[in-house]
Short mmCIF file of all heavy atoms in Angstrom, two decimals:
data_model
loop_
_atom_site.label_atom_id
_atom_site.label_comp_id
_atom_site.label_asym_id
_atom_site.label_seq_id
_atom_site.Cartn_x
_atom_site.Cartn_y
_atom_site.Cartn_z
N VAL A 320 50.93 95.96 -66.01
CA VAL A 320 49.76 96.33 -66.74
C VAL A 320 48.98 97.33 -65.73
O VAL A 320 48.63 97.03 -64.70
CB VAL A 320 48.95 95.05 -67.03
CG1 VAL A 320 47.63 95.41 -67.69
CG2 VAL A 320 49.83 94.12 -67.97
N GLY A 336 50.89 88.82 -62.50
CA GLY A 336 51.98 87.87 -62.59
C GLY A 336 51.63 86.99 -63.97
O GLY A 336 52.61 86.64 -64.68
N LEU A 337 50.41 86.64 -64.06
CA LEU A 337 50.02 85.64 -65.18
C LEU A 337 50.21 86.47 -66.50
O LEU A 337 50.80 85.94 -67.46
CB LEU A 337 48.55 85.20 -64.96
CG LEU A 337 48.12 84.33 -66.18
CD1 LEU A 337 48.93 83.10 -66.15
CD2 LEU A 337 46.61 83.94 -65.82
N ARG A 353 61.90 84.00 -84.99
CA ARG A 353 62.72 84.86 -85.70
C ARG A 353 64.12 84.09 -85.91
O ARG A 353 64.63 84.23 -87.05
CB ARG A 353 62.94 86.22 -84.93
CG ARG A 353 61.87 87.16 -85.04
CD ARG A 353 62.17 88.60 -84.60
NE ARG A 353 62.79 88.69 -83.33
CZ ARG A 353 62.01 88.80 -82.16
NH1 ARG A 353 60.65 88.97 -82.25
NH2 ARG A 353 62.60 88.78 -80.92
N HIS A 385 83.62 60.06 -112.31
CA HIS A 385 84.64 59.13 -112.01
C HIS A 385 86.07 59.78 -112.45
O HIS A 385 87.04 58.94 -112.48
CB HIS A 385 84.35 57.73 -112.44
CG HIS A 385 83.32 57.18 -111.79
ND1 HIS A 385 83.63 56.42 -110.60
CD2 HIS A 385 82.00 57.16 -111.96
CE1 HIS A 385 82.46 55.96 -110.12
NE2 HIS A 385 81.46 56.31 -110.86
N THR A 405 91.31 36.89 -128.69
CA THR A 405 91.09 37.92 -127.87
C THR A 405 90.15 38.94 -128.46
O THR A 405 90.29 39.35 -129.59
CB THR A 405 92.38 38.66 -127.37
OG1 THR A 405 92.89 39.37 -128.39
CG2 THR A 405 93.37 37.76 -126.67
N ASP A 420 97.83 59.75 -132.64
CA ASP A 420 99.06 60.44 -132.11
C ASP A 420 100.30 59.57 -132.17
O ASP A 420 101.40 59.95 -132.59
CB ASP A 420 98.80 60.83 -130.65
CG ASP A 420 99.96 61.68 -130.14
OD1 ASP A 420 100.61 62.36 -130.93
OD2 ASP A 420 100.15 61.55 -128.85
N ASP A 425 97.13 61.85 -138.96
CA ASP A 425 96.15 62.97 -138.74
C ASP A 425 94.77 62.80 -139.41
O ASP A 425 93.74 63.07 -138.73
CB ASP A 425 96.74 64.27 -139.30
CG ASP A 425 95.87 65.47 -138.84
OD1 ASP A 425 95.72 65.74 -137.57
OD2 ASP A 425 95.44 66.16 -139.79
N ALA A 442 79.76 55.61 -139.10
CA ALA A 442 81.06 56.44 -139.49
C ALA A 442 82.21 56.15 -138.75
O ALA A 442 83.25 56.21 -139.09
CB ALA A 442 80.53 57.95 -139.40
N LEU A 447 87.64 53.54 -138.38
CA LEU A 447 88.52 52.52 -137.92
C LEU A 447 88.96 51.55 -139.04
O LEU A 447 90.11 51.08 -139.05
CB LEU A 447 87.90 51.61 -136.67
CG LEU A 447 87.65 52.50 -135.52
CD1 LEU A 447 86.82 51.56 -134.44
CD2 LEU A 447 88.92 53.06 -134.84
N ALA A 451 92.86 50.86 -140.30
CA ALA A 451 93.06 49.66 -139.57
C ALA A 451 94.38 49.30 -139.09
O ALA A 451 94.66 48.83 -138.09
CB ALA A 451 92.40 48.42 -140.25
N LEU A 511 97.73 49.73 -122.41
CA LEU A 511 96.86 50.67 -123.27
C LEU A 511 96.55 51.83 -122.47
O LEU A 511 96.36 51.87 -121.34
CB LEU A 511 95.65 49.86 -123.66
CG LEU A 511 95.82 48.64 -124.64
CD1 LEU A 511 94.69 47.74 -124.67
CD2 LEU A 511 96.06 49.17 -126.00
N GLU A 516 100.82 59.05 -122.07
CA GLU A 516 100.24 59.51 -123.32
C GLU A 516 99.63 60.98 -123.13
O GLU A 516 99.36 61.65 -124.01
CB GLU A 516 99.11 58.49 -123.93
CG GLU A 516 99.84 57.23 -124.36
CD GLU A 516 98.77 56.37 -124.94
OE1 GLU A 516 97.61 56.73 -125.00
OE2 GLU A 516 99.09 55.14 -125.13
N TRP A 552 94.40 31.06 -108.24
CA TRP A 552 93.15 32.01 -108.10
C TRP A 552 93.42 33.08 -107.04
O TRP A 552 92.98 34.33 -107.29
CB TRP A 552 91.80 31.31 -108.03
CG TRP A 552 91.83 30.39 -106.83
CD1 TRP A 552 92.20 29.19 -106.72
CD2 TRP A 552 91.38 30.72 -105.51
NE1 TRP A 552 92.04 28.66 -105.56
CE2 TRP A 552 91.54 29.52 -104.71
CE3 TRP A 552 90.83 31.86 -104.91
CZ2 TRP A 552 91.19 29.52 -103.40
CZ3 TRP A 552 90.42 31.96 -103.61
CH2 TRP A 552 90.68 30.64 -102.79
N GLY A 570 85.67 57.63 -107.29
CA GLY A 570 84.30 57.90 -107.74
C GLY A 570 83.63 58.95 -106.85
O GLY A 570 83.21 58.78 -105.81
N ALA A 594 74.98 52.79 -93.04
CA ALA A 594 76.07 52.15 -93.73
C ALA A 594 75.79 50.66 -94.09
O ALA A 594 76.06 50.19 -95.04
CB ALA A 594 77.35 52.45 -93.11
N ALA A 608 74.25 41.82 -110.90
CA ALA A 608 74.59 42.44 -112.12
C ALA A 608 75.87 41.95 -112.66
O ALA A 608 76.03 41.65 -113.87
CB ALA A 608 74.61 43.94 -112.00
N ILE A 628 72.14 61.21 -104.65
CA ILE A 628 73.01 62.15 -103.93
C ILE A 628 72.32 63.42 -103.40
O ILE A 628 72.30 63.83 -102.20
CB ILE A 628 74.25 62.53 -104.84
CG1 ILE A 628 75.03 61.28 -105.10
CG2 ILE A 628 75.17 63.56 -104.17
CD1 ILE A 628 76.08 61.53 -106.21
N THR A 652 62.17 58.16 -77.29
CA THR A 652 62.64 57.86 -76.02
C THR A 652 63.30 56.65 -75.79
O THR A 652 63.91 56.36 -74.72
CB THR A 652 61.53 58.08 -74.97
OG1 THR A 652 60.44 57.05 -75.32
CG2 THR A 652 60.88 59.49 -75.05
N VAL A 670 67.82 55.06 -98.20
CA VAL A 670 69.14 54.69 -98.38
C VAL A 670 69.28 53.28 -98.93
O VAL A 670 70.12 53.04 -99.79
CB VAL A 670 69.89 54.76 -97.06
CG1 VAL A 670 71.30 54.17 -97.25
CG2 VAL A 670 70.07 56.33 -96.69
N LEU A 679 74.39 48.64 -108.91
CA LEU A 679 74.50 48.43 -110.35
C LEU A 679 75.58 49.32 -110.99
O LEU A 679 76.21 48.87 -112.10
CB LEU A 679 73.06 48.88 -111.01
CG LEU A 679 71.99 48.03 -110.48
CD1 LEU A 679 70.54 48.56 -111.00
CD2 LEU A 679 72.08 46.63 -111.07
N ALA A 690 80.90 33.77 -117.64
CA ALA A 690 80.01 32.79 -117.12
C ALA A 690 80.41 32.43 -115.73
O ALA A 690 81.44 32.58 -115.23
CB ALA A 690 80.25 31.38 -118.01
N GLN A 710 84.88 52.61 -97.55
CA GLN A 710 83.73 53.33 -96.97
C GLN A 710 83.79 53.30 -95.46
O GLN A 710 83.47 54.38 -94.83
CB GLN A 710 82.56 52.41 -97.48
CG GLN A 710 81.20 52.97 -96.95
CD GLN A 710 79.99 52.15 -97.46
OE1 GLN A 710 79.60 52.26 -98.61
NE2 GLN A 710 79.45 51.24 -96.62
N VAL A 723 82.17 65.18 -82.09
CA VAL A 723 82.86 66.03 -81.19
C VAL A 723 82.45 67.46 -81.44
O VAL A 723 82.18 68.38 -80.52
CB VAL A 723 84.43 65.98 -81.30
CG1 VAL A 723 85.16 67.10 -80.55
CG2 VAL A 723 84.84 64.64 -80.96
N ALA A 731 77.83 75.32 -84.58
CA ALA A 731 78.86 75.08 -85.60
C ALA A 731 78.75 73.83 -86.32
O ALA A 731 78.93 73.73 -87.49
CB ALA A 731 80.19 75.22 -84.95
#
Side-chain angles (χ1 to χ4, degrees):
V320 176
L337 181 60
R353 288 194 298 272
H385 288 274
T405 63
D420 187 30
D425 190 61
L447 294 174
L511 292 162
E516 293 181 9
W552 55 272
I628 298 169
T652 58
V670 169
L679 298 174
Q710 177 176 289
V723 171

